[in-house]
Amino acid sequence: MPETFDVKLEKKTYRPDPSYLEGSSMGDWETAYGRFMDDPEGFWAGIAGELEWFRTWDRVKEWKHPYARWFTGAKLNITHNCLDRHAAGDRRNKVALIWRGEEEGTERMYTYRQLHRLVMRFANALKKMGIKKGDTVCIYMPLVPEQVVAILACARIGAVHSIVYGGFGAAALHTRIRDAKAKIVITADVGFRRGKRVPLKTIVDEAVINASSVEKVIVLRRTKPLLELISEMEVDFDEVMEGMAPACEPEVMDAEDPLFILYTSGTTGTPKGIVHTCGGYMVGTYYTSKYVFDLKENDIYWCTADPGWITGHSYIVYGPLAAGATVLITETVPDYPDPGTWWQIVEEFGVTIFYTAPTAIRMFMRFGEEWPGRYNLTSLRILGSVGEPLNPEAFEWYYHVIGKSACPVLDTWWQTETGMHMIATLVGEPMKPGFAGRPIPGVVVDVVDREGNPVPPGIGGLLVIKEPWPSMMRTVHGNDERYRTYWNTIDACYTAGDLAVRDEDGYIMVLGRSDDIIIVAGHNLGTAEVESALVSHEAVAEAAVIGKPDPLKGQAVKAFVILRLGFEPGEKLKQDLIYHVRMGLGPIAMPSEIEFVTSLPKTRSGKIMRRVLKAKEMGMDPGDISTLED
Ligand code: 6R9
């Protein structure tokens, strides 16, 4: 773990139009945060009270370090709140889900009533196959409505789902199936990606070998001629639905019963099966969807993540549906058939809230303003970002080019483990490029040194969470010791594993993972700082930096750089970039080496895997690379 260190802070502030704050359901940060601090349990009880429970809680929170229980004694089913609550009321015929396939013109829509009925039918099918409360179901599907149906059907009957992203290979899928002891795997014949077919079912065939827990494989057959089902074990998605009644009482779940296991994206180490529970997770994702995104009844909400990541769990499926939103999903990638595809979708469907990742924004920057310029993006109201630090350069581009200098940019810091947003600049509040913002009401964070002492503004340290929150993970599946490490590294705090710095107003800038820290001549550098400095150069589209052993300085900075279209690599440009970083951050941060590359190793969710770059550089074993794209 690092010592604390100085960080150069950006000073720029943008103020959104006052109408955003006036119309916001959260109100201003000071008041809302104050309301939480005055009565933390009352605050959460108030949010929980907006949802429907079969039995109310005895206590809001029970905390026995490092174990939390929320809404103890309460009974619920999350799908009752995501579906029945709306289907029984005014939102019955409201569109819940819009799906857009890769080919233009392929689209489907489901109202809350329709989605509700489909989920109940599929839930009945799962029941008929012998799936009961507590069984694990693995979902390995493309981004189609049937995936959302499968997810909710599991939750309906109390089965624990473990979603594995459809881009993973057989080995990664196999370990996840085995670790979770899945009884059923739900898949499709193929997924579509960049005009090609991804043979999901073939991958499942390989992954279920020696996975003795698996009893059935349910296959959604999307293409003609129909893929042949080869063994008794395999059944057709539509066939199992046939004859199933669109009526299935929700399983009555205890607030602390598990809802799902999700293996983390793994920029570091081996994947961990993060366990989330029904009650607290529901409250946390509902709260943040409704109040952090400031969802309004007529919003068309599009989160570009995949349900295989926590962002998809919390902000495609559970949160927005619990809040009664219209959710857009699509199988498209951002640059196929061309880099205008996503902007075309925004125009076509009138998307109002758009939530994506910095990696996508930096990719769009590389292709230039011309692409979004071709489409009418005036429907957009709020722009979100998640997954990595949104460096100031990318913020500016997102804000001006996509948001036309009018939409708030909501940079949300959180993790698979936290389940919900933790740090963000609430809609309507002043925004500072490079800073995620302040803890949202309900969350207590700090930046501390190794001993857990808070560090002053401008000094970098470790990002910690000081109080339990409802949607926190409850354990690591089969490895509770790994869970305890999060809460035992620094006394009485949850250690997030990120480095951060705060400014005078309490805004937090996330500087990268603490394992990625570079120590040059005794000075600590967060990777994000140096990378942001590089990306602020007009020639640079994306950058990743690592520390390399150096006999004099301990470590030296090596940078890997992807250029924007129209720029050529060369010695002169290298010197320019080194000078540029020196001017921005000082001599300590100056890369001693720059390598021009055309791609960077990333997780399939778009995070740069610096440890892979580092291992390659040093001729070492990169460790687990199952989450690596390509
Ligand atoms: C939601 C998600 C978690 C890690 C986290 C941090 C990085 C996520 C960020 C961010 C800076 C943001 N991260 N959001 N860093 N600013 N807005 O991505 O979960 O896949 O578990 O990753 O991602 O390093 O610790 P997960």
Side-chain angles (χ1 to χ4, degrees):
M1 239 189 287
E3 300 290 344
T4 54
F5 51 101
D6 293 328
V7 180
K8 202 173 157 199
L9 297 177
E10 293 269 333
K11 289 273 180 258
K12 201 158 177 178
T13 302
Y14 285 105
R15 289 177 194 282
D17 191 275
S19 61
Y20 276 100
L21 194 57
E22 284 155 21
S24 112
S25 41
M26 182 85 94
D28 71 279
W29 182 86
E30 270 84 9
T31 314
Y33 202 83
R35 211 164 49 231
F36 156 64
M37 290 301 268
D38 287 347
D39 177 13
E41 294 194 10
F43 174 87
W44 284 115
I47 304 285
E50 294 177 20
L51 294 161
E52 293 177 0
W53 303 74
F54 303 143
R55 179 187 187 277
T56 186
W57 48 91
D58 301 320
R59 292 183 59 185
V60 173
K61 179 180 82 181
E62 279 176 26
W63 175 236
K64 262 226 248 13
H65 180 94
Y67 300 107
R69 290 161 51 80
W70 283 85
F71 308 107
T72 53
K75 304 285 179 196
L76 75 144
N77 187 294
I78 195 166
T79 69
H80 173 87
N81 282 289
C82 293
L83 299 169
D84 306 50
R85 194 163 75 89
H86 312 306
D90 292 347
R91 298 195 181 106
R92 179 173 309 172
N93 298 315
K94 175 173 176 174
V95 175
L97 204 58
I98 303 174
W99 173 79
R100 161 72 144 75
E102 210 179 56
E103 267 167 67
E104 235 188 294
T106 50
E107 62 183 61
R108 289 192 260 154
M109 294 202 191
Y110 301 83
T111 62
Y112 269 99
R113 175 175 172 275
Q114 290 170 323
L115 187 63
H116 185 213
R117 289 165 66 92
L118 280 173
V119 167
M120 291 193 290
R121 287 178 57 204
F122 196 66
N124 279 331
L126 290 175
K127 269 187 173 171
K128 199 174 163 201
M129 276 183 259
I131 299 298
K132 310 176 300 297
K133 176 174 173 178
D135 290 342
T136 311
V137 173
C138 173
I139 297 175
Y140 180 71
M141 295 182 85
L143 219 186
V144 289
E146 287 83 352
Q147 178 172 184
V148 178
V149 170
I151 294 168
L152 293 169
C154 289
R156 186 81 176 174
I157 63 172
V160 176
H161 57 71
S162 162
I163 310 179
V164 179
Y165 173 55
F168 276 122
L173 178 59
H174 175 80
T175 21
R176 286 160 176 74
I177 290 173
R178 277 187 69 133
D179 189 73
K181 298 191 182 59
K183 273 198 172 173
I184 287 196
V185 179
I186 308 174
T187 189
D189 50 355
V190 297
F192 291 99
R193 201 175 163 82
R194 291 176 208 282
K196 296 205 185 74
R197 293 174 177 198
V198 184
L200 297 176
K201 168 61 170 45
T202 316
I203 295 167
V204 170
D205 290 345
E206 200 184 323
V208 297
I209 297 171
N210 290 326
S212 57
S213 61
V214 179
E215 292 168 7
K216 288 265 188 262
V217 176
I218 305 178
V219 189
L220 176 72
R221 292 187 287 179
R222 309 176 69 194
T223 56
K224 299 263 159 44
L226 288 183
L227 182 91
E228 213 178 316
L229 300 178
I230 37 191
S231 75
E232 288 273 291
M233 215 170 127
E234 301 175 354
V235 291
D236 178 82
F237 191 99
D238 295 322
E239 266 166 39
V240 299
M241 292 264 266
E242 250 161 54
M244 291 296 142
C248 171
E249 283 300 311
E251 186 73 31
V252 176
M253 305 296 284
D254 190 89
E256 284 297 319
D257 280 335
L259 176 64
F260 65 83
I261 301 174
L262 177 61
Y263 292 85
T264 47
S265 55
T267 35
T268 52
T270 49
K272 293 175 255 197
I274 303 298
V275 177
H276 281 286
T277 52
C278 295
Y281 179 81
M282 172 175 78
V283 172
T285 54
Y286 161 79
Y287 162 59
T288 45
S289 297
K290 184 158 169 45
Y291 292 95
V292 176
F293 280 120
D294 197 26
L295 267 174
K296 304 283 188 238
E297 202 55 52
N298 290 329
D299 273 318
I300 305 293
Y301 165 92
W302 180 16
C303 164
T304 70
D306 187 275
W309 313 122
I310 192 66
T311 306
H313 283 63
S314 301
Y315 298 111
I316 290 178
V317 184
Y318 290 114
L321 293 180
T326 295
V327 178
L328 187 140
I329 56 174
T330 168
E331 210 173 355
T332 56
V333 293
D335 57 349
Y336 179 87
D338 63 49
T341 312
W342 279 10
W343 310 126
Q344 186 194 350
I345 293 176
V346 169
E347 176 181 305
E348 236 174 72
F349 293 93
V351 171
T352 58
I353 303 182
F354 179 73
Y355 190 30
T356 195
T359 179
I361 298 166
R362 290 189 296 255
M363 190 205 75
F364 288 125
M365 288 170 72
R366 182 145 64 104
F367 287 115
E369 298 182 15
E370 184 218 20
W371 286 103
R374 290 187 192 178
Y375 300 94
N376 179 348
L377 306 181
T378 50
S379 59
L380 290 171
R381 195 168 78 75
I382 292 166
L383 301 173
S385 172
V386 59
E388 283 186 297
L390 181 64
N391 44 291
E393 200 67 16
F395 177 103
E396 298 279 348
W397 194 90
Y398 201 25
Y399 181 65
H400 293 296
V401 178
I402 304 304
K404 314 295 177 211
S405 318
C407 302
V409 170
L410 191 63
D411 179 8
T412 59
W413 178 89
W414 58 294
Q415 309 178 297
T416 305
E417 294 88 335
T418 70
M420 67 169 196
H421 299 153
M422 304 298 277
I423 300 173
T425 299
L426 298 181
V427 168
E429 291 288 332
M431 298 171 288
K432 305 190 186 197
F435 290 83
R438 289 174 287 194
I440 64 167
V443 171
V444 185
V445 306
D446 210 342
V447 181
V448 301
D449 65 16
R450 284 198 273 197
E451 277 72 50
N453 307 306
V455 297
I459 304 291
L462 296 157
L463 183 57
V464 297
I465 304 167
K466 293 207 136 164
E467 292 290 335
W469 62 103
S471 67
M472 60 188 259
M473 68 159 152
R474 297 300 194 267
T475 186
V476 173
H477 182 67
N479 194 347
D480 194 59
E481 199 180 323
R482 239 174 139 177
Y483 166 76
R484 291 193 297 269
T485 315
Y486 285 89
W487 285 96
N488 290 336
T489 305
I490 293 174
D491 196 33
C493 292
Y494 168 91
T495 307
D498 282 0
L499 298 173
V501 61
R502 217 180 345 211
D503 75 357
E504 300 286 347
D505 301 324
Y507 277 56
I508 289 169
M509 174 186 282
V510 178
L511 301 166
R513 301 289 300 168
S514 54
D515 337 21
D516 288 336
I517 192 154
I518 305 172
I519 307 173
V520 181
H523 296 268
N524 294 267
L525 290 170
T527 49
E529 276 183 286
V530 188
E531 289 162 7
S532 287
L534 284 162
V535 173
S536 72
H537 188 282
E538 57 167 5
V540 179
E542 182 138 38
V545 299
I546 58 166
K548 256 181 96 166
D550 180 280
L552 280 179
K553 298 185 272 188
Q555 279 188 316
V557 176
K558 163 144 192 193
F560 298 84
V561 168
I562 302 180
L563 293 178
R564 287 216 208 186
L565 292 179
F567 290 90
E568 291 299 322
E571 208 39 52
K572 165 80 175 61
L573 182 54
K574 270 189 196 173
Q575 292 314 318
D576 267 10
L577 293 178
I578 292 170
Y579 181 73
H580 184 77
V581 175
R582 187 196 167 104
M583 293 313 287
L585 293 176
I588 285 295
M590 252 166 55
S592 56
E593 220 182 304
I594 291 187
E595 186 175 328
F596 294 110
V597 293
T598 50
S599 68
L600 289 168
K602 288 189 183 158
T603 63
R604 286 154 203 276
S605 59
K607 292 188 213 297
I608 300 171
M609 291 175 90
R610 294 174 192 79
R611 91 183 143 85
V612 171
L613 284 172
K614 193 160 175 172
K616 198 166 150 247
E617 189 68 26
M618 325 245 312
M620 288 176 344
D621 175 13
D624 176 63
I625 50 164
S626 64
T627 58
L628 186 66
E629 195 177 46
D630 304 326

